[in-house]
Amino acid sequence: MKIVMKFGGVSVADGEGLRRVGGIVDKFRAEGHELVVVTSAMFNVTNSLVDAASRAGRGQREHVKRFVEDIRKRHLDAAQVAVRDEEVLDRTMRAIESECEDLKNILLGISHISELTPRSKDFVIGYGERLSAPILQGVLEDLGMSSESLTGGEAGIVTDDHFGGAEPLMNVTTLEVRQAIDPLLEKGVVPVVTGFIANTQDGTHTTLGRGGSDFTASIIGAAIRADEVWVWKDVEGLMTANPRITPNALMIDRISFAEAMELAHFGAQIIHPKALESAARFQLPFRVKSLSKPDGEGTVIVKEVKVKDGNVVKAITNIDDVDLITVSGASMFGTPRLAARVLDILTDEEVDVLLISQSSSEENITLAIPKDDGSRAQNALELSLLGSKQVREVSIEAGLSIVAVVGAGMKGTPGVAARVFATMAANNINIRAIAQGSSELNISFIIKKQDAPEAIRALHDDFKLGECA
Ligand code: ASP
Ligand code: MG
């Protein structure tokens, strides 16, 4: 098979992790598969680059120098643990030194003029991947493979210039990725591509948004017509519920893209939604594989999964720490128009709306948003809407969770919502708001945060998710 394998920051957190990743690649390569490896930055490196970029923007030159020294040391240490052959190690260390020198110059440049633009920020925060990829290349060479590391741009990914969340231009990208990757595969080389970063058509550096390495894997997989994309995780696969909450949660063998996207939206942040969206579009099967059980099948995400009789619900997921904002008294305005207005205001504030529910009788709109955005959202709504006679009040309630019940089998099956709410009633759990996606793939509702674990366990039992199908 032709497989794109993506390794996240946790799997390449240190030298041992990188060595283990090398072992996994070696194993599947020895089984005869053609592989392209996509790597994230080492654990937490991107966060520290974001911080360093912003400090550079505030002119903190001394911090920048210390920061680059730390990053340099962390990567050199990892290389020394992960790569054993002296010649390969020497080459790897020189690659690290050269990237760090560039990074230092860029950060010092930014701090000289104390100005960080979205464009220069994207350049800086891509250095995590620029540093991890050469180490992984070294590990693969050390294990006897021939390997080459490439940036996303060198691998042919061309994006628009929407810095911080660039979109690939798929037609050119497909052509260029094939031109870059196919000859390497033909020569038996294992390409190691940096996740997360790409270039515009004129060569400016961009990023695909935080967590974007999964997206890189989808883009490359689609371009080279891979058989599957494998995303390696420190979990077994996608689960019927969070096993820390529900100890009898089971691994899901097969799930559809649509269901996986619902899970991703409602807190199960296993795979980046954009990666799922693009894999779905190109009908590219996606597999979540376990680092600790490389031989296991993991969870495969495909276009469609047959719904077995009675198997209406596939998983229960939750988002903790949400605030509920209620905009009430919309009588003169009309709720649909008000809803549009409210969403516009929140979009301008860059607030992520997790759930909306509106009642026409009471003329109010209820929105769930992440708690960190709560008071900002409330202020923005008050400023724009109060005093116009359209809205009486914008209230906020904190300490809540969203629980979502997900499954393609719910579509057209009456009574699922009734069953969900009966289970809540039986457990004395008060529901604050309810929403159902028009896709009918989820029913989600809001309850007190402290009730969430009990609600999830009760639903997991009631829909018999802990029993093998
Ligand atoms: N390193 C990037 C980030 O932390 C991309 C990724 O990990 O997928 O956002
Ligand atoms: Mg990730």
Side-chain angles (χ1 to χ4, degrees), residues 333-345:
F333 204 87
T335 8
R337 272 172 64 203
L338 181 67
R341 184 79 203 285
V342 164
L343 289 178
D344 269 349
I345 296 165

PDB file of all heavy atoms in Angstrom, residues 333-345:
ATOM      1  N   PHE A 333     -37.427  42.720  16.301  1.00  0.00           N
ATOM      2  CA  PHE A 333     -36.399  42.507  15.297  1.00  0.00           C
ATOM      3  C   PHE A 333     -36.684  41.262  14.455  1.00  0.00           C
ATOM      4  O   PHE A 333     -36.425  41.208  13.265  1.00  0.00           O
ATOM      5  CB  PHE A 333     -35.065  42.355  16.034  1.00  0.00           C
ATOM      6  CG  PHE A 333     -33.876  42.685  15.207  1.00  0.00           C
ATOM      7  CD1 PHE A 333     -33.402  43.981  15.124  1.00  0.00           C
ATOM      8  CD2 PHE A 333     -33.223  41.674  14.516  1.00  0.00           C
ATOM      9  CE1 PHE A 333     -32.294  44.279  14.362  1.00  0.00           C
ATOM     10  CE2 PHE A 333     -32.102  41.971  13.760  1.00  0.00           C
ATOM     11  CZ  PHE A 333     -31.645  43.269  13.685  1.00  0.00           C
ATOM     12  N   GLY A 334     -37.280  40.270  15.133  1.00  0.00           N
ATOM     13  CA  GLY A 334     -37.465  38.989  14.441  1.00  0.00           C
ATOM     14  C   GLY A 334     -36.261  38.126  14.717  1.00  0.00           C
ATOM     15  O   GLY A 334     -35.134  38.551  14.496  1.00  0.00           O
ATOM     16  N   THR A 335     -36.475  36.937  15.238  1.00  0.00           N
ATOM     17  CA  THR A 335     -35.340  36.115  15.659  1.00  0.00           C
ATOM     18  C   THR A 335     -34.370  35.729  14.543  1.00  0.00           C
ATOM     19  O   THR A 335     -33.175  35.760  14.777  1.00  0.00           O
ATOM     20  CB  THR A 335     -35.805  34.846  16.428  1.00  0.00           C
ATOM     21  OG1 THR A 335     -37.195  34.754  16.338  1.00  0.00           O
ATOM     22  CG2 THR A 335     -35.358  34.871  17.835  1.00  0.00           C
ATOM     23  N   PRO A 336     -34.845  35.369  13.352  1.00  0.00           N
ATOM     24  CA  PRO A 336     -33.855  34.948  12.349  1.00  0.00           C
ATOM     25  C   PRO A 336     -32.844  36.059  12.044  1.00  0.00           C
ATOM     26  O   PRO A 336     -31.650  35.816  11.986  1.00  0.00           O
ATOM     27  CB  PRO A 336     -34.695  34.626  11.112  1.00  0.00           C
ATOM     28  CG  PRO A 336     -36.082  34.447  11.600  1.00  0.00           C
ATOM     29  CD  PRO A 336     -36.213  35.243  12.854  1.00  0.00           C
ATOM     30  N   ARG A 337     -33.372  37.290  11.907  1.00  0.00           N
ATOM     31  CA  ARG A 337     -32.454  38.385  11.593  1.00  0.00           C
ATOM     32  C   ARG A 337     -31.531  38.665  12.769  1.00  0.00           C
ATOM     33  O   ARG A 337     -30.359  38.954  12.609  1.00  0.00           O
ATOM     34  CB  ARG A 337     -33.225  39.644  11.209  1.00  0.00           C
ATOM     35  CG  ARG A 337     -33.524  39.654   9.724  1.00  0.00           C
ATOM     36  CD  ARG A 337     -34.433  40.772   9.348  1.00  0.00           C
ATOM     37  NE  ARG A 337     -33.824  42.081   9.577  1.00  0.00           N
ATOM     38  CZ  ARG A 337     -34.534  43.191   9.753  1.00  0.00           C
ATOM     39  NH1 ARG A 337     -35.839  43.131   9.748  1.00  0.00           N
ATOM     40  NH2 ARG A 337     -33.930  44.340   9.923  1.00  0.00           N
ATOM     41  N   LEU A 338     -32.079  38.559  13.948  1.00  0.00           N
ATOM     42  CA  LEU A 338     -31.253  38.791  15.115  1.00  0.00           C
ATOM     43  C   LEU A 338     -30.148  37.735  15.208  1.00  0.00           C
ATOM     44  O   LEU A 338     -28.993  38.053  15.497  1.00  0.00           O
ATOM     45  CB  LEU A 338     -32.091  38.769  16.396  1.00  0.00           C
ATOM     46  CG  LEU A 338     -31.248  39.039  17.642  1.00  0.00           C
ATOM     47  CD1 LEU A 338     -30.709  40.459  17.652  1.00  0.00           C
ATOM     48  CD2 LEU A 338     -32.035  38.762  18.904  1.00  0.00           C
ATOM     49  N   ALA A 339     -30.506  36.482  14.892  1.00  0.00           N
ATOM     50  CA  ALA A 339     -29.513  35.413  14.960  1.00  0.00           C
ATOM     51  C   ALA A 339     -28.350  35.736  14.024  1.00  0.00           C
ATOM     52  O   ALA A 339     -27.181  35.587  14.387  1.00  0.00           O
ATOM     53  CB  ALA A 339     -30.154  34.078  14.587  1.00  0.00           C
ATOM     54  N   ALA A 340     -28.684  36.215  12.831  1.00  0.00           N
ATOM     55  CA  ALA A 340     -27.636  36.550  11.865  1.00  0.00           C
ATOM     56  C   ALA A 340     -26.742  37.658  12.418  1.00  0.00           C
ATOM     57  O   ALA A 340     -25.510  37.610  12.333  1.00  0.00           O
ATOM     58  CB  ALA A 340     -28.263  36.981  10.540  1.00  0.00           C
ATOM     59  N   ARG A 341     -27.390  38.658  13.015  1.00  0.00           N
ATOM     60  CA  ARG A 341     -26.672  39.794  13.588  1.00  0.00           C
ATOM     61  C   ARG A 341     -25.735  39.344  14.723  1.00  0.00           C
ATOM     62  O   ARG A 341     -24.567  39.715  14.776  1.00  0.00           O
ATOM     63  CB  ARG A 341     -27.736  40.765  14.094  1.00  0.00           C
ATOM     64  CG  ARG A 341     -27.293  42.058  14.645  1.00  0.00           C
ATOM     65  CD  ARG A 341     -26.950  43.050  13.541  1.00  0.00           C
ATOM     66  NE  ARG A 341     -26.035  44.064  14.061  1.00  0.00           N
ATOM     67  CZ  ARG A 341     -26.403  45.057  14.857  1.00  0.00           C
ATOM     68  NH1 ARG A 341     -27.661  45.210  15.189  1.00  0.00           N
ATOM     69  NH2 ARG A 341     -25.513  45.923  15.299  1.00  0.00           N
ATOM     70  N   VAL A 342     -26.281  38.517  15.597  1.00  0.00           N
ATOM     71  CA  VAL A 342     -25.501  38.019  16.734  1.00  0.00           C
ATOM     72  C   VAL A 342     -24.264  37.267  16.224  1.00  0.00           C
ATOM     73  O   VAL A 342     -23.144  37.469  16.695  1.00  0.00           O
ATOM     74  CB  VAL A 342     -26.380  37.093  17.619  1.00  0.00           C
ATOM     75  CG1 VAL A 342     -25.523  36.268  18.569  1.00  0.00           C
ATOM     76  CG2 VAL A 342     -27.396  37.919  18.393  1.00  0.00           C
ATOM     77  N   LEU A 343     -24.479  36.420  15.229  1.00  0.00           N
ATOM     78  CA  LEU A 343     -23.356  35.632  14.712  1.00  0.00           C
ATOM     79  C   LEU A 343     -22.317  36.529  14.045  1.00  0.00           C
ATOM     80  O   LEU A 343     -21.111  36.301  14.171  1.00  0.00           O
ATOM     81  CB  LEU A 343     -23.849  34.566  13.742  1.00  0.00           C
ATOM     82  CG  LEU A 343     -24.618  33.426  14.420  1.00  0.00           C
ATOM     83  CD1 LEU A 343     -25.119  32.421  13.393  1.00  0.00           C
ATOM     84  CD2 LEU A 343     -23.758  32.717  15.465  1.00  0.00           C
ATOM     85  N   ASP A 344     -22.788  37.563  13.365  1.00  0.00           N
ATOM     86  CA  ASP A 344     -21.859  38.530  12.751  1.00  0.00           C
ATOM     87  C   ASP A 344     -20.974  39.176  13.806  1.00  0.00           C
ATOM     88  O   ASP A 344     -19.760  39.289  13.639  1.00  0.00           O
ATOM     89  CB  ASP A 344     -22.633  39.656  12.053  1.00  0.00           C
ATOM     90  CG  ASP A 344     -22.892  39.311  10.603  1.00  0.00           C
ATOM     91  OD1 ASP A 344     -22.304  38.327  10.134  1.00  0.00           O
ATOM     92  OD2 ASP A 344     -23.696  40.027   9.966  1.00  0.00           O
ATOM     93  N   ILE A 345     -21.615  39.606  14.879  1.00  0.00           N
ATOM     94  CA  ILE A 345     -20.870  40.284  15.949  1.00  0.00           C
ATOM     95  C   ILE A 345     -19.817  39.341  16.525  1.00  0.00           C
ATOM     96  O   ILE A 345     -18.660  39.706  16.715  1.00  0.00           O
ATOM     97  CB  ILE A 345     -21.835  40.769  17.061  1.00  0.00           C
ATOM     98  CG1 ILE A 345     -22.787  41.830  16.500  1.00  0.00           C
ATOM     99  CG2 ILE A 345     -21.065  41.288  18.268  1.00  0.00           C
ATOM    100  CD1 ILE A 345     -23.988  42.119  17.385  1.00  0.00           C
TER     101      ILE A 345
END
